[in-house]
Amino acid sequence: MMTKVEFLQNWYRQVWIEADPDAVDRYFDPRTGADGLMPDGQVTPEDFKALVPALLTLVRNLDITIDRSMEVGDWLWAQISVHALAAGGTQPICAAGQVMMRIEGDKITEAYNCFDFLTFFAQAGLLPQDALLLLLSGERMG
């Protein structure tokens, strides 16, 4: 039987690295949504099928590592690092995130995410490099 960390590694490999939209249904309970990825609510399994390809158009040579993890009962917490190159150049992207999920049997039944999208989009060339400092100074973007 695979550990919850192995389960998560397989999720990242199949859904994100291999870009297999059908794999989403193999991992998520259909009634489950992932909180914390979008400001307006949960990301459903169907939303993942649109979100993953959209984000993958921004990067190449994607690698996702699990830096730290903890398993307690049905729950898994993991700190992750995303490494890639910007799709349009050689700019490296390195952003961090965390996920806490409940896994029952072979399905994700709850998921709570926190990901550094500000760093991700800045390094992908879609925001000014010092976007956080500009925002802290009161500068508006757009």
Side-chain angles (χ1 to χ4, degrees), residues 62-77:
L62 178 65
D63 183 47
I64 301 171
T65 58
I66 298 173
D67 302 320
R68 291 170 192 79
S69 64
M70 182 183 304
E71 295 183 36
V72 178
D74 291 341
W75 288 92
L76 168 66
W77 166 80

Side-chain angles (χ1 to χ4, degrees), residues 52-63:
V52 171
L55 286 172
L56 290 178
T57 64
L58 304 175
V59 299
R60 58 190 174 83
N61 299 345
L62 178 65
D63 183 47

Side-chain angles (χ1 to χ4, degrees), residues 8-114:
L8 184 60
Q9 288 169 325
N10 288 340
W11 157 262
Y12 287 132
R13 181 180 49 77
Q14 291 179 11
V15 173
W16 290 93
I17 307 295
E18 297 172 2
D20 179 0
D22 295 328
V24 172
D25 294 328
R26 291 193 297 270
Y27 286 91
F28 261 87
D29 181 286
R31 298 162 299 184
T32 298
D35 286 309
L37 291 172
M38 300 298 277
D40 60 350
Q42 289 189 335
V43 176
T44 66
E46 288 305 309
D47 295 332
F48 267 110
K49 293 175 187 176
L51 176 67
V52 171
L55 286 172
L56 290 178
T57 64
L58 304 175
V59 299
R60 58 190 174 83
N61 299 345
L62 178 65
D63 183 47
I64 301 171
T65 58
I66 298 173
D67 302 320
R68 291 170 192 79
S69 64
M70 182 183 304
E71 295 183 36
V72 178
D74 291 341
W75 288 92
L76 168 66
W77 166 80
Q79 183 179 33
I80 65 162
S81 295
V82 173
H83 302 272
L85 294 175
T90 59
Q91 175 69 27
I93 296 173
C94 182
Q98 295 185 48
V99 62
M100 183 174 67
M101 60 177 54
R102 185 163 54 96
I103 303 166
E104 293 181 344
D106 61 350
K107 299 285 186 192
I108 299 167
T109 56
E110 289 183 67
Y112 305 93
N113 297 269
C114 181

